[in-house]
Amino acid sequence: MLKEKKKQQQSLHKRHSEYAFANKQLEKLSNGVFANGELPTFSEKINETGHFPLRPTKLEILQINVGYMCNQVCEHCHVDAGPDRKEIMTRETMLQCLEVIKNTGAHTLDLTGGAPEMNPNFRWFVEEASKAGIKDFIVRSNLTIIRANKKYYDLPDFFKKHNVHVVSSMPHWTRGKTDKQRGAGVFDLSIKALQELNAVGYGMLGSTLRLDLVYNPSGAFLPGDQTSMEKDFKKALLEDFGIHFHNLFAITNLPISRFLDYLIASENYEDYMYSLVEAYNPAAVKSVMCRNTISVSWDGYLYDCDFNQMLELKVASKIQHISEYNEDILNDRNIIISQHCYGCTAGAGSSCQGAVAK
Ligand code: SF4
Ligand code: SF4
């Protein structure tokens, strides 16, 4: 029992799990029901609806992953993040990113991790990046980091000072469901952090300090309707804890990394892939986030999205690193796809900004 508990507090990497490796994940996604023709591959499916090859539109979002270290080890993390991950963006790579941030045509800068705040250069990077005047500057904060250690207690004020848009995961408004997915004690710390963000003005009606929450399902099922879930979350969090926030993004769990490991271990993998394929929505393909996003990894390599980054699928372009960034050349590429992409096109679709289609 204790051994099992300890395992749950470690990344797949630390556990030397088979699915810590991108090639093993891709192998799983290419074989079985997709190799024997029971289900169409993603490229076959989008070809049927005239969307192959998938090509970028104009770049709008630059997403930078500043490291895989995190104070949490959530059950379904697609990054396989945790306290034992040591991959951290250096200041040198951040300087290369800043050059790009100053010159990009993107209107959104999105810092993610792991827990981005755990990067020792995080505050310096935010201060510098905020000077570039990008319209929407997002930091993906897991909330508990704000209460994890005294040195993080002033994060709400720091975010406010730099007019950062805070986007935070909150899988449910109940303690049981949240703690099951994200770890014991996460719910209470998240509530406290949300109250502190509200106290400095985040998430309040009419406030320009944006606070959005992200929901992802706790098991092998697709998210419900984003609009009605947002209403339920707002009602429950306000009534129970006096908490306000702006929008809720409902995100589908993609079958990679720890969620793939969970699907296989719980014998839900095939059923889940069937439900993703059956829910395929051609309207969502047009708006998948890789079409207007570039994802930068902790070591400066470029990817079509954060999921491709975790699968180590670099952009299909002669420009592959932030140090040689060229938006025009990068935009002239085919997006690399595999069966995990079905997670972005099921139902209302899914992106880091939630549903993408009606
Ligand atoms: S807080 Fe986010 S990055 Fe950290 S383990 Fe959980 S899902 Fe992964
Ligand atoms: S997983 Fe990435 S590449 Fe695939 S459709 Fe989604 S955003 Fe695009």
Side-chain angles (χ1 to χ4, degrees), residues 115-139:
E117 301 93 333
M118 290 180 84
N119 184 310
N121 288 307
F122 169 76
R123 292 193 192 218
W124 169 81
F125 190 42
V126 169
E127 274 160 20
E128 292 302 312
S130 64
K131 292 177 196 159
I134 288 208
K135 203 169 143 209
D136 189 9
F137 185 1
I138 295 172
V139 171

Side-chain angles (χ1 to χ4, degrees), residues 33-215:
V33 283
F34 294 103
N36 68 19
E38 267 185 54
L39 290 176
T41 62
F42 189 72
S43 56
E44 287 165 349
K45 192 73 180 174
I46 66 170
N47 201 20
E48 277 171 24
T49 50
H51 295 97
F52 184 83
L54 202 53
R55 299 275 298 172
T57 52
K58 190 181 169 315
L59 183 84
E60 295 180 76
I61 303 169
L62 188 65
Q63 188 174 61
I64 301 180
N65 192 316
V66 297
Y68 302 159
M69 189 181 281
C70 189
N71 58 319
Q72 291 184 192
V73 193
C74 305
E75 204 177 11
H76 300 153
C77 179
H78 75 273
V79 178
D80 192 25
D84 54 64
R85 296 301 299 267
K86 305 293 177 226
E87 300 89 338
I88 284 284
M89 185 176 275
T90 61
R91 196 180 271 229
E92 187 190 356
T93 308
M94 286 179 173
L95 280 166
Q96 292 169 345
C97 290
L98 284 170
E99 265 319 293
V100 172
I101 292 165
K102 283 179 204 150
N103 298 306
T104 179
H107 55 63
T108 299
L109 173 63
D110 185 344
L111 294 196
T112 186
E117 301 93 333
M118 290 180 84
N119 184 310
N121 288 307
F122 169 76
R123 292 193 192 218
W124 169 81
F125 190 42
V126 169
E127 274 160 20
E128 292 302 312
S130 64
K131 292 177 196 159
I134 288 208
K135 203 169 143 209
D136 189 9
F137 185 1
I138 295 172
V139 171
R140 291 187 187 264
S141 176
N142 69 16
L143 295 175
T144 60
I145 193 72
I146 296 175
R147 300 300 310 164
N149 181 305
K150 264 192 196 153
K151 69 177 176 184
Y152 299 120
Y153 286 1
D154 66 334
L155 276 170
D157 286 318
F158 176 78
F159 290 147
K160 180 178 179 173
K161 184 171 172 207
H162 298 286
N163 198 22
V164 161
H165 171 180
V166 178
V167 177
S168 296
S169 291
M170 190 73 194
H172 208 258
W173 61 82
T174 59
R175 185 176 288 107
K177 285 197 174 163
T178 300
D179 283 1
K180 187 185 171 300
Q181 187 188 124
R182 296 175 78 79
V186 165
F187 182 77
D188 290 342
L189 288 177
S190 302
I191 292 296
K192 182 93 180 79
L194 285 170
Q195 287 167 337
E196 287 173 1
L197 285 163
N198 279 172
V200 299
Y202 270 100
M204 307 307 285
L205 195 68
S207 170
T208 53
L209 295 167
R210 304 288 308 169
L211 172 62
D212 296 325
L213 298 185
V214 178
Y215 159 89

